[in-house]
Amino acid sequence: MPIVNRFADFRDEITGWRRDIHQNPELLYDVHRTAGLVADKLRSFGVDEVTTGIGRSGVVAVIRGRKTASGKVIGLRADMDALPIGEKTGRPYASKIDGRMHACGHDGHTAMLLGAARYLAETRNFDGTAIVVFQPAEEGGAGARAMMKDGLMDRWNIDEVYGMHNLPGLPLGRISMKSGAIMASTDEFKITITGTGGHAALPHTTVDPIVVAASLVQALQTIVSRNMNPIDRAVVSVTRINAGSALNVIASEATMAGTARTLNSDVRDLVEKRLREVCESTATAFGARAAVDYLRHYPVTYNHADQTEFAAEVARGVVGPDRVSTEAPPIMGGEDFSYMLEERPGAFIFIGNGDSAGLHSPEFDFNDEIIPAGCSYWASLVEKAMPA
């Protein structure tokens, strides 16, 4: 099944939905306008069921095939939320809301899944049930986990689940993926260093937490360079240091914060263990104390082998065998679709956004040229997974 002609017929309409969502970005769980638009469109397509308020503000729709004898149920997921970033694209359809924009392409993901839902509701050329899932709060709010707590997988009896994300730098018309870890776990840490404050002219009477913090920035980098097997991947980044308020005073406390990203659970455990040990021992060496608050957020996004190969087969049929890679390098960013993949087999793929600004950039814009391929991938996946 190559690019479906039907998507060419209403590509401009799908693009219009995407740009409308782009102009009206919403954050985290407060995606009520977007979710309302999605639900209204789905009802107008004649899907079998539409349920709102799953995971606080998510939307789930059921599309049954001409036959359902197979009993198989496939879930397709798109994310709806934007980011707290001021847009600088200069597009005529740029965000109407200061300080918010769709800087990750979730507007495009939502529009493509809506387009696929319309086609599937029209044709129903499959034996089984397609569940289209529109999720809030991917950007740090764990909306996928919230939807699962509301019974997403069991309530709709989902057997397999699939996700898709645009990728700047990957050429238009190309799709990439890999079996196993494809995106990293995303953990955060906060370190509070307690010393002894005093006059800046008398440092020998103090225990300077800023000096401890400076040493820790360097020491924490040895977790990756000296504690890990070089073939494993991890990133430990200190992204914030705060201390003091006066130029002639050595502060009594400093705080540091950052992120740790890994691609497997053993390395994740090692990074947390060593981070705590390095902080405590380094602070002790200076006569200070360090308290570590380590928060585990999204797990590793881990693609299942059989479903990844199936997704690749579907993608080859849409964009051509020479435009599909199953050896995509893992990305150290995180993705809460990982929670869904922990509960059900499935695969997460990347579709090329071309030579665009990077994700989370104020200059980023989703490339509407990829809409037909993205819609066709979703539709083909359902039809090939559950042939009529």
Side-chain angles (χ1 to χ4, degrees), residues 32-73:
H32 304 296
R33 181 190 185 278
T34 307
L37 180 152
V38 165
D40 288 346
K41 294 292 182 191
L42 290 167
R43 292 186 186 104
S44 74
F45 302 157
V47 302
D48 296 287
E49 300 172 20
V50 177
T51 304
T52 60
I54 304 300
R56 293 167 57 177
S57 51
V59 181
V60 179
V62 176
I63 308 170
R64 297 186 182 92
R66 292 178 187 171
K67 295 184 289 185
T68 57
S70 74
K72 193 166 185 178
V73 182

Side-chain angles (χ1 to χ4, degrees), residues 131-322:
I131 306 296
V132 289
V133 178
F134 296 85
Q135 178 206 306
E138 191 282 324
E139 297 291 357
R145 182 173 60 188
M147 294 191 82
M148 305 238 298
K149 285 182 177 179
D150 274 357
L152 174 65
M153 296 299 173
D154 293 333
R155 181 172 173 181
W156 282 278
N157 299 310
I158 294 173
D159 298 312
E160 298 177 3
V161 64
Y162 294 86
M164 174 165 49
H165 204 293
N166 78 94
L167 186 61
L170 185 65
L172 290 175
R174 293 186 182 273
I175 292 175
S176 68
M177 66 198 77
K178 72 179 294 292
S179 178
I182 192 167
M183 295 189 74
S185 60
T186 57
D187 299 339
E188 297 177 2
F189 56 84
K190 181 180 179 182
I191 304 162
T192 302
I193 304 162
T194 305
T196 304
H199 200 294
L202 303 169
H204 60 290
T205 67
T206 73
V207 176
D208 189 344
I210 296 177
V211 173
V212 180
S215 295
L216 271 177
V217 171
Q218 298 294 324
L220 291 175
Q221 300 311 305
T222 66
I223 296 172
V224 174
S225 67
R226 290 297 178 267
N227 298 141
M228 282 178 48
N229 187 321
I231 66 173
D232 290 325
R233 293 192 187 192
V235 177
V236 177
S237 297
V238 176
T239 55
R240 187 173 70 227
I241 302 177
N242 295 307
S245 58
L247 293 178
N248 61 346
V249 176
I250 291 175
S252 61
E253 184 178 282
T255 60
M256 306 169 60
T259 65
R261 299 166 184 271
T262 63
L263 289 171
N264 72 59
S265 58
D266 290 341
V267 173
R268 194 181 197 184
D269 291 342
L270 172 64
V271 168
E272 179 178 357
K273 176 177 179 290
R274 287 299 294 145
L275 188 142
R276 292 183 183 279
E277 292 171 348
V278 169
C279 288
E280 291 167 6
S281 60
T282 301
T284 298
F286 283 91
R289 300 188 307 278
V292 177
D293 187 13
Y294 194 97
L295 302 174
R296 294 195 176 202
H297 291 298
Y298 297 173
V300 174
T301 304
Y302 193 92
N303 279 343
H304 299 255
D306 290 346
Q307 286 70 31
T308 304
E309 179 50 42
F310 173 67
E313 177 188 343
V314 171
R316 292 182 193 109
V318 172
V319 299
D322 59 337

Side-chain angles (χ1 to χ4, degrees), residues 314-331:
V314 171
R316 292 182 193 109
V318 172
V319 299
D322 59 337
R323 295 187 174 187
V324 176
S325 170
T326 56
E327 299 296 331
I331 292 175

